[in-house]
Amino acid sequence: MIKVQVVLSPALLHLFDSKNKNVVVIDILRATSTICTAIAHGALSVKPVNNTDDALILKGSGYLSAAERDGHKLEGFDMGNSPFECMNGAVLGKKIALTTTNGTKCITAATIAGAANVLSGSFLNITALANFLKADSRDVILFCAGWRDRVNLEDSLFAGALVNRLVSKDELDCDSALMVMDLYHRAKSNLGLYLEQSSHYKRLSRLHHQEDMEYCLQSDVIDIVVGLKKGEMVNMA
Ligand code: MLT
């Protein structure tokens, strides 16, 4: 039986032992949803970088540069952080250097924490991801990116959905995992409606990103597992 723990915010990661575990980084709106979408749509890799300068340096090496801050695409970059920018052949055969407000920093943090695998978590590929985690049998850390170290609703909901697929309630020994499991059961009949009051949902709505959110809340439109290899997110197959 795999042991599953949930980290609700990057500020709490240091309280958990991530060494040699499968760490799923969760940034549903939108970094890890966008990373999964990019790889599913033919991108060779997505390299998470912590700042805009590194993304521009990699642009000089042939990467597509992608940068988002506070939900906005930054001027001077090829892309922002919308999954729709990865469709219609836009990233086919390309490498992407991506920096976002929260998600890409969490990928770096999980690597530094000694994870065996750093995986990109999204509703989009939840079944493929759950099957990978169950087959691999390492203990699991579900790492919510939140918003600037604050807990957010959408990442917590996804963590609950994934916990629900991995273990039964009586197998859990982690209160945050129990919390998010219950949260998911309350919201699962209509995630979009439940999230309408959440801070990032409102933020992205103000920026007219409703279709991004509708897309990112779909389950199982992607059947691959995406994880970090040599510092770049790739198809784990
Ligand atoms: C993040 O990395 O915080 C999010 O993906 C931000 C966003 O793209 O809206």
Side-chain angles (χ1 to χ4, degrees):
M1 179 193 78
I2 54 176
K3 181 181 168 189
V4 180
Q5 294 177 293
V6 174
V7 179
L8 291 170
S9 156
L12 302 173
L13 182 64
H14 70 283
L15 301 175
F16 293 75
D17 177 8
S18 302
K19 287 185 191 58
N20 302 317
K21 294 181 182 173
N22 284 322
V23 177
V24 179
V25 175
I26 302 168
D27 188 347
I28 297 302
L29 298 175
R30 299 164 288 178
T32 50
S33 298
T34 295
I35 289 169
C36 289
T37 302
I39 301 300
H41 284 258
L44 297 177
S45 67
V46 179
K47 184 177 179 56
V49 293
N50 288 336
N51 60 62
T52 54
D53 289 345
D54 288 351
L56 290 174
I57 289 166
L58 287 165
K59 181 180 173 67
S61 302
Y63 284 70
L64 289 175
S65 60
E68 167 277 331
R69 289 292 183 273
D70 298 326
H72 295 271
K73 173 185 179 299
L74 297 190
E75 285 303 310
F77 291 82
D78 300 312
M79 304 165 59
N81 188 26
S82 168
F84 288 96
E85 293 177 282
C86 302
M87 299 176 184
N88 306 316
V91 300
L92 191 61
K94 302 281 190 182
K95 290 189 167 191
I96 302 168
L98 173 68
T99 178
T100 69
T101 309
N102 304 278
T104 50
K105 294 180 181 62
C106 292
I107 294 169
T108 302
T111 306
I112 293 168
N117 289 305
V118 180
L119 302 162
S120 182
S122 75
F123 283 107
L124 302 166
N125 71 331
I126 187 170
T127 296
L129 180 57
N131 292 340
F132 174 92
L133 293 169
K134 286 186 280 191
D136 184 83
S137 74
R138 286 186 181 94
D139 288 344
V140 174
I141 296 265
L142 303 185
F143 179 16
C144 297
W147 183 265
R148 297 187 184 279
D149 277 353
R150 297 181 184 187
V151 174
N152 74 10
L153 209 46
E154 65 273 15
D155 295 346
S156 303
L157 274 181
F158 174 80
L162 190 49
V163 170
N164 189 51
R165 288 170 181 254
L166 294 176
V167 292
S168 65
K169 215 168 192 176
D170 56 10
E171 292 170 325
L172 285 172
D173 182 23
C174 174
D175 285 6
S176 49
L178 283 166
M179 283 164 55
V180 295
M181 206 174 183
D182 278 356
L183 191 68
Y184 173 67
H185 284 305
R186 283 170 60 87
K188 65 186 177 183
S189 61
N190 190 332
L191 293 176
L193 183 64
Y194 191 83
L195 283 170
E196 278 180 1
Q197 292 313 305
S198 70
S199 55
H200 199 37
Y201 199 101
K202 289 178 188 173
R203 183 180 299 112
L204 290 177
S205 295
R206 288 193 296 271
L207 296 171
H208 309 296
H209 287 315
Q210 282 86 346
E211 64 174 1
D212 281 27
M213 294 189 278
E214 287 163 20
Y215 169 80
C216 292
L217 294 179
Q218 297 175 106
S219 290
D220 293 327
V221 295
I222 293 173
D223 63 357
I224 61 171
V225 177
V226 177
L228 207 61
K229 286 186 178 176
K230 296 178 182 170
E232 310 214 3
M233 283 291 193
V234 297
N235 186 334
M236 292 290 278

